[in-house]
Amino acid sequence: SLLILIDSVRPPENALMGKLIDGPTKKKVTIPSRGRIIQADLYRPHRQGRQFPLLLVHGVNPLGKDDEQLVLLAKDLARAGFLVLVPDLEGVKTLRIRITDAEDILQSFLYLSRAEHAGSRGGMMGISCGAGPLLLASADPRIRDKVSVVATVGAYYDLRNVLSFTMTGAYEYGGHRGYVRPEASLRWMFAYRNLDLLRSSDDREKFRQIIEKRNRYEVAAAESLAKSLGPEGRALHAFLVNTDQERFAPLYENLPLPVREYVYQLSPAR
């Protein structure tokens, strides 16, 4: 446990555990889910006998399962005796998280539970945004009796609260309140990756142009184009440009139904 913690704060090239304990074997596998194939890596420890299966889910990272720090963690967990599976989740990688990602995680866990020498019960570990769909998958009736351990790092509970903090910088927890200057680029990047939530194709195209103009610091042109958006597009735009905590709730309630449904479906709070 101490070696894993040490390696978690060191760059992979300075990892310590691999110098003391033989590395696991790594095998590329494929997992069927929703009529398509998920690419994944299976890390198997050298020790013999039954092994505790552990599903490791990455966060928002374009490298996905191949991120060096994640690979190191998977190897270290396998060195400690876990049978580790790391699926590559396209939606999570690209900040296009959907409820279907929970199904991919569920199918990955089922695949892992059927692996050779896997124990009858297993665990899940999720990082950042990947922990949201992981928590939803772990509660699914198809596998919840097989999941005995769930660990998360930087997970979220209610996605609406995450949006409130992202948009306004205001937070409250355990009686403590505070403010952090919101990062404007994050909201526009999230919107750009999820324009399909808008039902109007005209609004989607105009929103794409608005965000691209903002990225080029053509703010006046972007604001002018925003005036030609339809009702749903204008509601989303008003929500995205707001930084006032007092206005967050009414602007959120005015968002298009698919956007609010998206937030609800992906919140483990439910």
Side-chain angles (χ1 to χ4, degrees):
S1 299
L2 181 60
L3 290 171
I4 291 173
L5 287 172
I6 290 172
D7 279 358
S8 72
V9 294
R10 295 163 69 96
E13 61 269 19
N14 295 332
L16 181 60
M17 193 172 185
K19 298 178 181 178
L20 305 174
I21 302 174
D22 289 340
T25 59
K26 177 181 177 181
K27 180 182 178 181
K28 293 187 178 298
V29 299
T30 56
I31 303 164
S33 177
R34 299 181 291 119
R36 61 185 191 79
I37 297 298
I38 302 169
Q39 303 296 324
D41 293 329
L42 182 65
Y43 298 81
R44 188 179 294 278
H46 284 312
R47 68 174 62 177
Q48 301 300 311
R50 296 179 74 81
Q51 299 145 357
F52 187 84
L54 181 64
L55 183 71
L56 181 58
V57 173
H58 59 78
V60 176
N61 187 325
L63 296 177
K65 68 177 179 61
D66 298 320
D67 176 74
E68 289 186 352
Q69 203 71 45
L70 188 74
V71 170
L72 173 60
L73 176 59
K75 287 181 177 179
D76 281 358
L77 288 167
R79 290 186 180 105
F82 294 99
L83 178 64
V84 182
L85 180 69
V86 187
D88 206 47
L89 303 171
E90 281 299 323
V92 180
K93 282 169 62 174
T94 59
L95 204 58
R96 283 178 50 83
I97 306 169
R98 297 291 184 269
I99 193 64
T100 49
D101 288 309
E103 179 66 23
D104 289 347
I105 292 169
L106 184 148
Q107 293 299 330
S108 297
F109 183 85
L110 286 175
Y111 176 93
L112 177 61
S113 66
R114 293 191 292 262
E116 185 180 7
H117 302 307
S120 58
R121 294 172 66 84
M124 295 182 173
M125 178 181 289
I127 299 170
S128 186
C129 290
L134 177 142
L135 287 167
L136 296 172
S138 70
D140 191 287
R142 287 173 288 174
I143 63 171
R144 64 186 178 198
D145 292 336
K146 297 182 179 180
V147 181
S148 57
V149 176
V150 175
T152 64
V153 181
Y156 66 88
Y157 175 67
D158 188 337
L159 194 52
R160 185 182 185 279
N161 287 346
V162 176
L163 288 175
S164 176
F165 173 69
T166 303
M167 299 298 160
T168 70
Y171 64 88
E172 181 179 356
Y173 179 76
H176 297 280
R177 295 182 178 183
Y179 172 82
V180 177
R181 184 174 182 177
E183 177 56 58
S185 61
L186 182 61
R187 69 185 69 194
W188 295 108
M189 179 175 66
F190 179 80
Y192 195 79
R193 299 283 175 84
N194 294 279
L195 289 177
D196 57 302
L197 295 176
L198 285 172
R199 288 176 284 201
S200 165
S201 59
D202 185 57
D203 274 357
R204 288 196 297 269
E205 176 58 26
K206 287 180 179 177
F207 233 106
R208 183 185 63 78
Q209 295 177 32
I210 288 169
I211 296 170
E212 290 175 353
K213 288 180 183 298
R214 279 184 167 273
N215 288 342
R216 296 193 298 267
Y217 301 101
E218 299 172 9
V219 178
E223 292 296 328
S224 177
L225 184 57
K227 295 176 182 178
S228 65
L229 288 166
E232 288 194 353
R234 288 197 302 272
L236 180 58
H237 184 267
F239 177 78
L240 289 171
V241 298
N242 175 61
T243 59
D244 184 352
Q245 185 186 15
E246 297 298 322
R247 297 187 62 216
F248 174 84
L251 288 172
Y252 176 83
E253 295 303 325
N254 195 43
L255 285 173
L257 181 60
V259 177
R260 286 181 284 124
E261 182 67 16
Y262 168 84
V263 173
Y264 171 77
Q265 288 291 337
L266 280 172
S267 293
R270 68 180 176 85

